[in-house]
Amino acid sequence: MNAIPKPEPATQPGAQFAIHNPATHETIGTLPNLTAKQIAAAVDRAAAAQPRWAATPVRDRLRILSRFGELLCDQKEAVTAVISREAGKPQAEALSTEILVVLDTVKYLKDNLPAFLRPEPVPHGNPAMKLKRGQLLREAYGVVGIISPWNYPFSVPSVQTLTALATGNAVALKPSEFTPFSSLELERLLREAGLDPALLQVITGDGSAGAALLSTNVQKMVFTGSVATGKRVAQAAAARLLPVVLELGGKDPMIVLEDADVDVASSAAVWGAFMNAGQTCLSVERCYVHESIYEKFLKACIAKTDKLRLGHSRLLRPDQSGNNKSTPAQKMGRPDGADSEIDVGPMIHERQLSIVQSHVEDAVKRGARLLAGGSPLPQLGPNFFAPTILADVDHSMTVMREETFGPVLPVRTFKTEDEAIALANDSEYGLAASIFTKNRARGEALARRINAGTVMVNDVLACFGISEAPHGGVKASGIGRTHGRFGLEEMVWPKYVDSDRMPRMKKLWWYGYGPAFANQMSGFVDLLFAKKLIKRMQGGVKSTKSYLRRKLL
Ligand code: NAD
């Protein structure tokens, strides 16, 4: 088994770090690894601009987001080129899983934000409180810190940033050190749309910059990444009681019931396991197939995997015009158009590839059948791994317990529904799951028994593209939600405002204690909660009489 390479030595804060094309290892740019002092100053700039932004009418904030959406739609090819270049994914995939998701979020915010931020009446059930008017306001935190991973370098930070900005926050965004240019595209487009540049601070740098961001004046942290880093973030946040959202890893199970359409389910498994080279938090990482259709399902998966084309965007020469207005995409070079023939790109880096290889080797050593792939493809580039199918896996294997995060589809059988549910729930993760069956009601009933933030019936991964759907997990997969109404709630804190309609009236429960007050309260409790009607009526009389005898202070 190959030893897993250690991470590259950390860049010193203040020094430049290089960003590589994962398909070729060419350097595509360098950026500064910001120091703690620079990061604190950036957050202070954002904090200074935020109160004015929070006081800006919602419709004006949404106008900027709208303009951003138009610019993104117009410039989608340039932005997907940047994404493909630094993350290695096919451009069409960048369009469907990054650009589309972000544009749909803009629409979601436009459609839903005004109602979400409108003061919400809080009616009172307690008769003693009927003379009050309660309302719930939703207040922006101030500066929201966002720390992002490399696998969806545009959609993950953009959805969170747009939601935070729309609700009146400023943002300090620390993108992954492997894919920072996508976040710089987000920043460029938002500025072009008219956003005050102070409101979005992109913090370039590695993990040290992320750690430094946690010690600044941010008021909320939204972290997306691995469980190991998520725990570190949670510890640092706990030390200063900083509220956090943690969107962490997954080990998503797919269950294929005996009544499923094998053609549909096998296509879903192959796409769900290999899309983005398997580097998706919602990837199909474990597949359980009813024994009666197991071999047929495997045969279909092998045939479909065989047809996948691996490769990467080759880039034409960069724009040499020296025009300062060139976008980063133009400066880095345009894709050659061959991209549309590619299904699977490279993995992000050698360390990730080695983890995948070690999981496959461990499974084969423990008795799994290797039916496709199984090894790196150095002839294509440094980080390519062949889409791999493993059959007859079991839960003693690393590939069924730890997040593989690569193009691997491990499959095993089950006999009964109960066994399938037990296998699906036998994991420390709980991000998402899927069930394939021709009987939708049966699928929905089983979905209730799976411990995961999302369960899809007859589809995989697509929940991430539904802006209304909350995204997030249980167990080690994280805390809190992004996307949809729950994602909006994470970006605001609830403020309850209560105003009494009788400003000239002393309240019945104020001082002026004594036996009359005790009787008043005793009668009042009976009036509200006694089981028998007669006791409730007696309580009402007792309470009123006692109140009339009282002298309030
Ligand atoms: P990672 O944890 O290595 O890094 C994530 C981010 O944290 C990067 O920006 C990194 O620089 C930063 N970081 C590193 N050390 C830090 C520290 N001590 N303090 C603060 N920040 C620090 O994760 P990754 O390899 O970039 O991403 C892959 C992981 O992300 C996978 O586990 C995947 O499942 C998960 N992920 C989850 C979701 C989700 O929505 N649940 C979405 C995408 C990816």
Side-chain angles (χ1 to χ4, degrees), residues 77-96:
E77 271 80 24
V79 179
T80 49
V82 173
I83 299 170
S84 291
R85 188 102 21 86
E86 61 181 5
K89 64 184 73 189
Q91 269 197 282
E93 211 167 86
L95 276 171
S96 62

Side-chain angles (χ1 to χ4, degrees), residues 147-152 156 160 174-178 205-212 214 223-230 232-233 246-250 280-282 349 352 403 405 431 464 471-472 477 482:
I147 299 179
S148 291
W150 45 262
N151 61 336
Y152 287 88
V156 168
Q160 297 169 359
K174 210 300 276 174
S176 167
E177 57 273 39
F178 297 102
D206 58 18
S208 65
L214 280 153
F223 172 81
T224 309
S226 61
V227 173
T229 313
R232 263 177 245 135
V233 168
L246 300 174
E247 293 283 9
L248 309 180
T280 302
C281 54
L282 299 163
H349 47 52
Q352 197 57 43
E403 190 180 40
F405 223 54
L431 191 56
F464 190 73
H471 174 68
S477 291
T482 53

Side-chain angles (χ1 to χ4, degrees), residues 523 526-527 533-544:
D526 282 347
L527 172 69
L533 178 65
I534 182 75
K535 186 115 173 114
R536 288 212 294 275
M537 288 167 67
Q538 286 166 346
V541 173
K542 180 172 155 188
S543 180
T544 313

Side-chain angles (χ1 to χ4, degrees), residues 5-150:
K6 292 205 168 65
E8 286 182 16
T11 314
Q12 286 302 313
Q16 295 276 317
F17 66 99
I19 298 92
H20 305 286
N21 180 330
T24 59
H25 214 260
E26 282 162 335
T27 301
I28 54 178
T30 57
L31 287 169
N33 189 23
L34 296 183
T35 63
K37 209 167 151 195
Q38 289 170 317
I39 295 167
V43 172
D44 288 346
R45 283 196 294 280
Q50 187 269 336
R52 210 169 126 217
W53 176 242
T56 304
V58 177
R59 63 174 183 282
D60 294 342
R61 301 204 298 253
L62 286 175
R63 205 168 287 140
I64 293 180
L65 261 60
S66 255
R67 178 80 190 117
F68 162 83
E70 288 158 14
L71 291 167
L72 176 59
C73 189
D74 287 348
Q75 299 180 33
K76 56 187 175 304
E77 271 80 24
V79 179
T80 49
V82 173
I83 299 170
S84 291
R85 188 102 21 86
E86 61 181 5
K89 64 184 73 189
Q91 269 197 282
E93 211 167 86
L95 276 171
S96 62
T97 64
E98 308 250 18
I99 306 293
L100 204 59
V101 172
V102 175
L103 287 173
D104 198 57
T105 296
V106 172
K107 182 173 181 315
Y108 173 79
L109 291 171
K110 275 162 53 186
D111 292 348
N112 294 282
L113 194 71
F116 174 77
L117 289 180
R118 211 166 284 144
E120 184 182 322
V122 181
H124 304 330
N126 182 343
M129 302 293 163
K130 287 280 186 200
L131 293 177
K132 297 175 181 305
R133 190 172 88 106
Q135 351 167 32
L136 192 65
L137 310 181
R138 290 176 166 88
E139 303 279 348
Y141 274 97
V143 184
V144 173
I146 295 176
I147 299 179
S148 291
W150 45 262

Side-chain angles (χ1 to χ4, degrees), residues 371-484:
L371 299 181
S375 53
L377 299 168
Q379 64 277 25
L380 292 180
N383 298 322
F384 284 89
F385 198 91
T388 298
I389 301 177
L390 293 166
D392 308 346
V393 291
D394 65 49
H395 281 206
S396 73
M397 301 171 183
T398 321
V399 78
M400 294 301 271
R401 304 216 71 86
E402 292 176 15
E403 190 180 40
T404 306
F405 223 54
V408 180
L409 175 64
V411 195
R412 64 157 285 174
T413 57
F414 67 86
K415 283 186 174 43
T416 63
E417 274 184 4
D418 285 350
E419 186 191 2
I421 297 294
L423 286 166
N425 286 336
D426 178 24
S427 172
E428 68 174 279
Y429 295 96
L431 191 56
S434 57
I435 299 170
F436 281 76
T437 168
K438 287 198 192 109
N439 182 340
R440 194 159 50 89
R442 184 182 176 200
E444 286 173 7
L446 284 181
R448 302 194 67 150
R449 297 173 60 195
I450 296 184
N451 301 329
T454 299
V455 184
M456 301 205 78
V457 179
N458 292 322
D459 201 356
V460 289
L461 272 76
C463 47
F464 190 73
I466 302 168
S467 296
E468 292 73 14
H471 174 68
V474 293
K475 301 195 271 183
S477 291
I479 298 171
R481 294 292 180 268
T482 53
H483 297 220

Side-chain angles (χ1 to χ4, degrees), residues 233-248:
V233 168
Q235 276 168 354
R240 51 169 288 202
L241 293 181
L242 177 69
V244 286
V245 172
L246 300 174
E247 293 283 9
L248 309 180

